[in-house]
Amino acid sequence: MAGEKERMQGTWDEVKGDAKEKAGDVTKNRDLEAKGRLEKARGKGKKAAGDLKDVSENVKEGIEEATH
């Protein structure tokens, strides 16, 4: 699927962000905790972009099929 790369990268960013957020919480490092939350949010955005890429690909294919 067209958006698989973005979803994989997004998942990886979410995992890294979650680890940073938890490490920051345990060590009381608020900066690291905030960076983790930001990285998780960025990962969710990448996953959404991958989903959108797939949807747009499906729409494009549907239009092409309908016009032929």
Side-chain angles (χ1 to χ4, degrees), residues 16-37 40:
K16 290 188 305 181
D18 191 50
K20 287 179 184 178
E21 184 178 10
K22 288 179 181 172
D25 184 44
V26 168
T27 62
K28 304 297 184 219
N29 182 336
R30 299 300 169 222
D31 186 50
L32 183 59
E33 191 176 356
K35 286 179 182 178
R37 281 193 304 273
K40 279 174 41 177

Side-chain angles (χ1 to χ4, degrees), residues 2-3 7 45-59:
R7 277 193 300 281
K46 286 181 183 178
K47 287 169 65 175
D51 291 343
L52 182 59
K53 204 176 220 184
D54 285 343
V55 167
S56 65
E57 182 80 18
N58 290 339
V59 168

Side-chain angles (χ1 to χ4, degrees), residues 9-19 39-40 43-44 47:
Q9 183 63 47
T11 299
W12 177 240
D13 287 347
E14 282 186 292
V15 169
K16 290 188 305 181
D18 191 50
E39 194 161 2
K40 279 174 41 177
K44 289 179 183 185
K47 287 169 65 175

